[in-house]
Amino acid sequence: MAETLLKSLKAGLIGSGIQASLTPAMHVKEGAAQGLRYEYELIDLAQLGLTPAALPQLLNDAEARGLCGLNITHPCKQVIIPYLDELSDEAHALGAVNTVVLRNGKRFGHNTDWWGFAESFRRGLPGADLDAALQIGAGGAGVATAFAILSLGLKALTVFDREPERALQLAQNMSLLFPEATIRASDDISDAMRNSAGLIHATPTGMAKYPGIPLSPDLLQPRHWIAEIVYFPLETELLREAKKRGCRILDGGGMAVFQAVGAFRLFTGIEPDAARMLEHFRSMTI
């Protein structure tokens, strides 16, 4: 009986301005490879003329239509929490949800963003120096990447954000979760780079609609590793400049794929083929 129920699944993504998302294609193709009739829909607030205030109704509608789960993206990752029944430990710690499982009349919130970044980093930058790193960006993505890199054993993290209070808040929150690490906010990127082995970039800068680079390229040294979260384009200006200077680099594609791997597992109860999903993602971004 359980196998029969698994043969047909529906899921979706709630966010604003999400028409270019590659998440639906990744889920549907892996579902087909696993023998599922898997449908995945976009619920785009911008196209529907809605705001996050519509989340309660959207959740009710999704349950009524039999969706097994929803991915959640900007600007809803924090706003959705009051409408959920339970949170995973990681979602609770991060105060952000990107995956909601709908099961037996209940809504379970998870965060696979942090694991997506951690798994991408572990595979893409093996043996990276984790003595000290600078992170630029303390928003929703920055919370996940900070949690991920500290979970991997980073000893010292400096956080910079254009809104200093946000960097300070992230540093304080992570210090409570990782008391053995040294975590601080700073407004001096130059000093932080001099004293860091690597850089995590967790802002939209470098995306097609937000072109540019988040710091002076002159601060990049061959000894630095550079980890990016932007994946559209896959090679950002930051990564191009870092590559020129001999840095080890990690593009944002891995995080995008592995968060989807985690969500697929939660939605279906089936272990996806991560290598196949990576290959599919790369084929869509060439």
Side-chain angles (χ1 to χ4, degrees):
M1 183 68 174
E3 185 178 339
T4 302
L5 290 173
L6 271 178
K7 287 295 180 184
S8 182
L9 291 174
K10 294 180 183 178
L13 171 66
I14 297 178
S16 184
I18 55 176
Q19 294 304 307
S21 174
L22 300 181
T23 295
M26 284 193 283
H27 276 261
V28 169
K29 181 143 186 174
E30 181 60 20
Q34 298 280 0
L36 304 176
R37 291 192 299 273
Y38 194 158
E39 298 175 38
Y40 192 107
E41 64 185 59
L42 292 177
I43 304 169
D44 191 334
L45 300 183
Q47 288 229 327
L48 296 170
L50 300 174
T51 71
L55 280 171
Q57 186 58 51
L58 293 175
L59 285 166
N60 289 341
D61 288 347
E63 288 174 323
R65 291 187 293 112
L67 270 67
C68 66
L70 293 161
N71 282 127
I72 309 297
T73 190
H74 178 79
C76 301
K77 290 183 182 184
Q78 288 83 30
V79 188
I80 199 166
I81 289 176
Y83 310 118
L84 306 179
D85 296 298
E86 293 183 26
L87 295 180
S88 69
D89 291 343
E90 292 84 3
H92 178 74
L94 293 171
V97 164
N98 79 315
T99 302
V100 176
V101 175
L102 304 173
R103 188 169 293 148
N104 300 325
K106 289 200 167 185
R107 304 163 178 173
F108 303 91
H110 301 264
N111 189 300
T112 66
D113 282 334
W114 81 270
W115 180 81
F117 182 80
E119 187 67 7
S120 176
F121 191 97
R122 187 181 68 77
R123 293 180 181 219
L125 290 173
D129 184 343
L130 292 179
D131 278 344
L134 166 66
Q135 176 170 297
I136 298 177
V143 173
T145 54
F147 186 90
I149 199 67
L150 289 162
S151 296
L152 290 173
L154 183 72
K155 295 174 185 173
L157 178 66
T158 300
V159 183
F160 170 87
D161 194 274
R162 289 180 179 177
E163 298 177 30
E165 65 278 5
R166 198 158 67 162
L168 182 60
Q169 186 65 57
L170 177 57
Q172 290 173 339
N173 291 348
M174 290 298 135
S175 292
L176 293 174
L177 295 172
F178 299 93
E180 71 284 359
T182 301
I183 307 166
R184 68 186 184 97
S186 174
D187 60 2
D188 191 338
I189 288 180
S190 299
D191 179 69
M193 285 298 284
R194 278 193 298 272
N195 294 289
S196 290
L199 169 69
I200 299 166
H201 175 232
T203 84
T205 302
M207 292 176 64
K209 58 183 176 179
Y210 301 109
I213 188 167
L215 79 172
S216 168
D218 294 337
L219 297 175
L220 303 172
Q221 302 295 323
R223 63 185 177 81
H224 288 130
W225 51 260
I226 311 296
E228 175 71 272
I229 68 159
V230 172
Y231 70 86
F232 196 73
L234 206 52
E235 184 178 74
T236 60
E237 186 177 344
L238 171 62
L239 294 186
R240 281 197 300 275
E241 292 293 342
K243 191 188 294 186
K244 282 183 197 173
R245 288 160 173 77
C247 303
R248 294 179 70 192
I249 62 172
L250 180 70
D251 65 50
M255 181 179 182
V257 173
F258 287 111
Q259 66 78 23
V261 167
F264 186 97
R265 183 188 297 122
L266 288 166
F267 289 161
T268 68
I270 294 171
E271 186 62 35
D273 186 326
R276 181 166 57 209
M277 290 181 74
L278 271 170
E279 184 179 351
H280 180 217
F281 175 85
R282 298 291 174 185
S283 74
M284 292 189 288
T285 54
I286 292 173

